[in-house]
Amino acid sequence: MALSRVCWTRAALWGSAVAPGPVVTRRLQLGRSGLAWEAFRSSKLHLSPKSDMKSLISYVVTKTKVINGKYHRFLGRHFPRFYVLYTIFMKGLQMFWADAKKARRIKTNMWKQSIKFHQLPYREMEHLRQFRQDVTKCLFLGIISIPPFANYLVFLLMYLFPRQLLIRHFWTPKQQIDFLDIYHALRKQSHSEIISYLERVIPLVSDAGLQWHLTELCTKIQNGTHPAVQDILTLRECFSNHPLGINQLQAWQMKALSRAMLLTPYLPPPLLRHRLKTHTTVIHQLDRALAKLGIGQLSAQEVKLACYLRGLNSTHIAEDRCRTWLGEWLQISCSLKGHESAQEKCRQN
């Protein structure tokens, strides 16, 4: 009996140094896994799905920025010329998208407040006018890229003819200056044709005094002298009726005016007349809005763009001279319909 107890004691002591049996091991594993699951489940109770989603989004955004930066450095190092075009194209897309969102916001406010285009502030009116012009140019690209595999040809055409096919957002700074000079040169080609027509219609003006003033005006312009505001306002009656009224102009005369305003001359005469009326009406509405705002509120870039739209090549002219020229233009424009209050604002600006 005592011997059996000694044997059992030795077996117990030796068993502590031996690996446990399969049953004991299984129980230990189940116990440990149970404890781990309880700990995992308790930790899950303290996690927030929103914080997890935010951290995941921030991680993805950070990684995307890192990859994008590496890609830009790779392009700039190995393909510098292509990288310049790529950067301009991406920035152009961003600016065009921002213009589209702003135009949509303006149109939404117009619909909510039940206001018309001519009732908008100057900057919103000018933004809508420029955005419509840009969209028209983009629609042409979209139309010619409709046929299968034509998009590859469109990219080649955009590279070869950026002035004709791309809007200003996709021009380089040098291209912006060069292209504006080219457009102004196209406008100047029709100036001599317009002046020669004015000289031919002088005998058709019934008033002798107006005939003399019109002759003096044509002489000043041909000699390179800038006419005064009063010289032009004196002749406003000549351009309201026969022979210089817009409804009395012939097709070739309307084409010359269209080229001088950077409008397409390749339209039937009724459409040319309608286009000229619409364009001059929009400019007059912009002038009235600008008279309310004041030229002093415009930045240098806005002043130059306003002068260029109205016929002055402002890319190589100082800002002060552009402001003076624009002020004189507003005096003339605000006097056309008898807006004396607006004319007074123009003089103050």
Side-chain angles (χ1 to χ4, degrees), residues 166-180:
L166 297 180
I167 61 177
R168 67 193 191 284
H169 294 324
F170 301 97
W171 295 346
T172 64
K174 184 178 183 302
Q175 285 177 338
Q176 292 182 7
I177 298 176
D178 294 342
F179 292 168
L180 291 180

Side-chain angles (χ1 to χ4, degrees), residues 48-93:
S48 173
K50 292 184 178 180
S51 62
D52 290 347
M53 184 58 66
K54 290 181 179 180
S55 62
L56 178 61
I57 293 176
S58 63
Y59 174 78
V60 173
V61 170
T62 303
K63 285 295 184 182
T64 304
K65 290 182 178 179
V66 172
I67 296 173
N68 192 34
K70 292 181 179 179
Y71 178 65
H72 281 210
R73 288 191 295 270
F74 172 78
L75 289 180
R77 190 182 308 114
H78 298 281
F79 307 98
R81 295 184 63 183
F82 175 76
Y83 177 68
V84 172
L85 297 177
Y86 171 79
T87 304
I88 294 174
F89 182 76
M90 295 304 297
K91 289 182 178 179
L93 285 178

Side-chain angles (χ1 to χ4, degrees), residues 37 45 47 105 125 177 269 333 339:
W37 171 252
L45 294 176
L47 291 178
R105 183 170 63 251
M125 195 183 301
I177 298 176
S333 178
H339 301 292

Side-chain angles (χ1 to χ4, degrees), residues 128-144:
L128 283 183
R129 184 203 65 81
Q130 185 62 53
F131 182 72
R132 290 171 182 172
Q133 182 177 343
D134 294 342
V135 168
T136 303
K137 216 169 188 179
C138 293
L139 283 178
F140 175 74
L141 278 179
I143 292 174
I144 63 177

Side-chain angles (χ1 to χ4, degrees), residues 242-287:
H242 181 79
L244 296 176
I246 192 171
N247 292 325
Q248 285 77 36
L249 296 179
Q250 300 179 8
W252 66 271
Q253 298 162 352
M254 290 187 293
K255 290 181 179 180
L257 287 175
S258 297
R259 288 193 297 268
M261 298 180 184
L262 294 180
L263 302 175
T264 176
Y266 307 106
L267 291 175
L271 292 181
L272 280 177
R273 198 182 312 274
H274 174 74
R275 186 79 182 277
L276 285 172
K277 288 182 179 180
T278 303
H279 184 72
T280 53
T281 301
V282 169
I283 291 181
H284 185 66
Q285 292 171 349
L286 285 169
D287 292 340

Side-chain angles (χ1 to χ4, degrees), residues 39-208:
F40 176 75
R41 187 174 61 181
S42 61
S43 65
K44 274 289 184 180
L45 294 176
H46 298 287
L47 291 178
S48 173
K50 292 184 178 180
S51 62
D52 290 347
M53 184 58 66
K54 290 181 179 180
S55 62
L56 178 61
I57 293 176
S58 63
Y59 174 78
V60 173
V61 170
T62 303
K63 285 295 184 182
T64 304
K65 290 182 178 179
V66 172
I67 296 173
N68 192 34
K70 292 181 179 179
Y71 178 65
H72 281 210
R73 288 191 295 270
F74 172 78
L75 289 180
R77 190 182 308 114
H78 298 281
F79 307 98
R81 295 184 63 183
F82 175 76
Y83 177 68
V84 172
L85 297 177
Y86 171 79
T87 304
I88 294 174
F89 182 76
M90 295 304 297
K91 289 182 178 179
L93 285 178
Q94 294 175 0
M95 289 188 290
F96 183 71
W97 180 247
D99 287 349
K101 292 194 294 185
K102 184 177 180 181
R104 181 181 180 183
R105 183 170 63 251
I106 294 172
K107 296 292 289 185
T108 303
N109 292 335
M110 290 175 60
W111 179 76
K112 289 182 179 179
Q113 300 175 12
S114 299
I115 59 178
K116 302 297 183 180
F117 174 79
H118 67 275
Q119 297 173 325
L120 291 172
Y122 171 76
R123 287 189 173 94
E124 294 184 356
M125 195 183 301
E126 172 61 23
H127 183 84
L128 283 183
R129 184 203 65 81
Q130 185 62 53
F131 182 72
R132 290 171 182 172
Q133 182 177 343
D134 294 342
V135 168
T136 303
K137 216 169 188 179
C138 293
L139 283 178
F140 175 74
L141 278 179
I143 292 174
I144 63 177
S145 61
I146 289 178
F149 305 104
N151 52 345
Y152 300 105
L153 178 61
V154 168
F155 283 117
L156 179 61
L157 293 176
M158 288 191 298
Y159 179 77
L160 296 176
F161 307 100
R163 178 176 63 86
Q164 293 86 351
L165 298 179
L166 297 180
I167 61 177
R168 67 193 191 284
H169 294 324
F170 301 97
W171 295 346
T172 64
K174 184 178 183 302
Q175 285 177 338
Q176 292 182 7
I177 298 176
D178 294 342
F179 292 168
L180 291 180
D181 289 340
I182 292 174
Y183 280 129
H184 186 70
L186 294 175
R187 290 194 295 199
K188 288 176 61 177
Q189 292 177 1
S190 60
H191 289 176
S192 59
E193 186 177 357
I194 295 173
I195 296 300
S196 63
Y197 171 72
L198 289 178
E199 290 179 331
R200 288 200 300 269
V201 300
I202 289 176
L204 301 179
V205 178
S206 58
D207 190 282

